[in-house]
Amino acid sequence: MIKYDKVRALLEKQQLDALLIMSDYNRRYLSGFTGSSGAVIITKNNQYLISDFRYKSQAKEQAEHFDFVLQTKGLLPFVIEFLQDKNIKTIGFEGQHVNFNTYKDLKSHFELVPLTGEVEKIRMIKTSDELTLIQKACEIADESFEYILKYIQPGMTELEVKNELENYMTKLGASGPSFDTIVASGYRGALPHGVASDKVIETGDMVTLDFGAYYQGYASDITRSFGVGSLSDEMTKIYNIVLESQLKALDEIKSGMSGSEADKISRDVIKSYGYGDNFGHSLGHGFGLEVHESPGLAQKSEFILEEGMCFTVEPGIYVDNVGGVRIEDDCIVTENGLKKLTHSSKDLFII
């Protein structure tokens, strides 16, 4: 498989005897194993998954491309002993995930080379199997949004909406929400990450709903803003500006651009209307096994966009004590530009 070829190319480039993976997401990505404890070791010629008795059957079933090794003591002591038995001398490790004590113990036995973010770079290009799961997660989000618009009524609290939405996603097959659902109504819409509260949704509020589903380990992430009963002229104007900036970005972002160039497309539209200071976050982020992963679309992002990358496009405007609007879609880079994976309507809806 291509991802294993990329890992072994990394081993050769860095002159490593083995790569040691202990973080949950990278372990799952490389092996397919979904258990909560274990280690992946990849050498030039072999692939091993170490875990304990609880996961013996599960590991053998899920990690079909790996030799399963049953751990018989604490995970780290067993890993060290296993590597020594294989005469491993130089190890690549996850610099951003390994804590100091683990590093110290490994360092006392091996030569260590930090490979910070290297597996995450491989993860940025999604496989066809990953895309199938991501698309299903997006479909759950779209269908759930259609449902919740019919459910919301003035007088409900944000928490009531959150709970109903998350419950509906699980009915559609989601294992749960991909992050803490945001329901931000009225003045709370000025909070970009205004997670649901006990505030009552009132007539005249703009409501921002930012949510996503996990489906078989893969995330979706969508945002829509809509009105309740009626909207002020200012909030209607802000909505149309955000929509214009998002549509322009969706139309113009393409392979070969940097993350900062992509961000600028949308940001320049918002700046042209005088709201530049009210768009304080990045345009988007990658998603997959994690709801926030690389690449980033931000003002200082140097990531070069490539075919197969999945990320959000989510401009927003936030005005203190007034409200806010954000519109977000999940996308994949193709040879012809961006392809949207979420399809909920973006017409300004008033319930």
Side-chain angles (χ1 to χ4, degrees), residues 63-350:
E64 57 183 337
H65 300 291
F66 283 70
D67 293 329
F68 175 70
V69 181
L70 180 65
Q71 107 191 36
T72 55
K73 58 174 71 173
L75 180 58
L76 184 58
F78 187 87
V79 165
I80 290 172
E81 185 177 285
F82 179 82
L83 291 168
Q84 289 175 323
D85 287 344
K86 297 295 181 182
N87 200 32
I88 299 296
K89 304 294 185 183
T90 305
I91 300 172
F93 75 102
E94 303 165 285
Q96 77 276 39
H97 297 301
V98 172
N99 65 40
F100 178 75
N101 288 339
T102 298
Y103 172 82
K104 185 173 63 174
D105 288 347
L106 289 170
K107 186 67 175 176
S108 65
H109 296 91
F110 310 103
E111 181 181 348
L112 299 183
V113 178
L115 299 179
T116 303
E118 292 295 337
V119 176
E120 285 81 356
K121 288 178 184 177
I122 297 172
R123 281 171 47 191
M124 284 194 294
I125 307 299
K126 306 311 186 207
T127 66
S128 59
D129 288 343
E130 288 182 294
L131 289 173
T132 297
L133 300 177
I134 288 170
Q135 184 63 74
K136 178 62 177 178
C138 291
E139 290 170 3
I140 291 173
D142 279 334
E143 189 172 340
S144 298
F145 179 68
E146 183 178 350
Y147 167 79
I148 207 69
L149 282 180
K150 300 173 184 176
Y151 173 83
I152 296 175
Q153 296 293 330
M156 291 181 176
T157 67
E158 295 171 349
L159 280 169
E160 286 179 279
V161 174
K162 162 195 160 77
N163 292 337
E164 182 69 18
L165 176 61
E166 292 181 354
N167 182 57
Y168 192 77
M169 287 194 294
T170 61
K171 288 181 179 179
L172 296 180
S175 59
S178 53
F179 56 95
D180 199 0
T181 297
I182 292 169
V183 185
S185 60
Y187 65 89
R188 292 192 73 253
L191 305 172
H193 277 192
V195 295
S197 73
D198 58 3
K199 179 190 175 301
V200 172
I201 297 172
E202 303 175 79
T203 298
D205 281 352
M206 179 73 86
V207 179
T208 294
L209 189 60
D210 186 349
F211 66 100
Y214 260 127
Y215 179 76
Q216 294 187 23
Y218 282 83
S220 58
D221 182 3
I222 182 174
T223 306
R224 292 292 186 268
S225 296
F226 52 90
V228 178
S230 62
L231 284 175
S232 69
D233 290 343
E234 181 179 11
M235 291 310 300
T236 300
K237 175 185 176 183
I238 287 173
Y239 185 93
N240 289 328
I241 293 169
V242 173
L243 180 59
E244 179 183 338
S245 75
Q246 203 236 13
L247 293 176
K248 185 175 177 62
L250 292 174
D251 185 57
E252 296 184 10
I253 293 174
K254 60 185 179 181
S255 176
M257 277 186 175
S258 67
S260 60
E261 289 172 325
D263 179 277
K264 188 175 187 297
I265 294 170
S266 188
R267 195 170 301 278
D268 281 353
V269 173
I270 291 175
K271 284 182 178 179
S272 73
Y273 286 97
Y275 286 95
D277 291 341
N278 302 96
F279 178 20
H281 56 74
S282 62
L283 178 62
H285 57 83
F287 66 96
L289 283 170
E290 297 177 84
V291 74
H292 291 95
E293 57 184 47
S294 298
L297 310 186
Q299 293 182 78
K300 296 183 179 180
S301 172
E302 297 179 354
F303 284 107
I304 301 301
L305 306 183
E306 300 178 43
E307 290 181 34
M309 290 181 174
C310 289
F311 48 75
T312 65
V313 176
E314 50 178 305
I317 293 175
Y318 312 92
V319 181
D320 289 344
N321 301 314
V322 175
V325 171
R326 182 166 64 256
I327 303 173
E328 174 185 24
D329 282 303
D330 294 339
C331 305
I332 182 172
V333 181
T334 73
E335 61 181 352
N336 298 315
L338 290 189
K339 175 184 176 183
K340 286 198 300 140
L341 301 175
T342 45
H343 303 285
S344 294
S345 173
K346 288 178 283 197
D347 295 336
L348 180 52
F349 192 81
I350 308 292

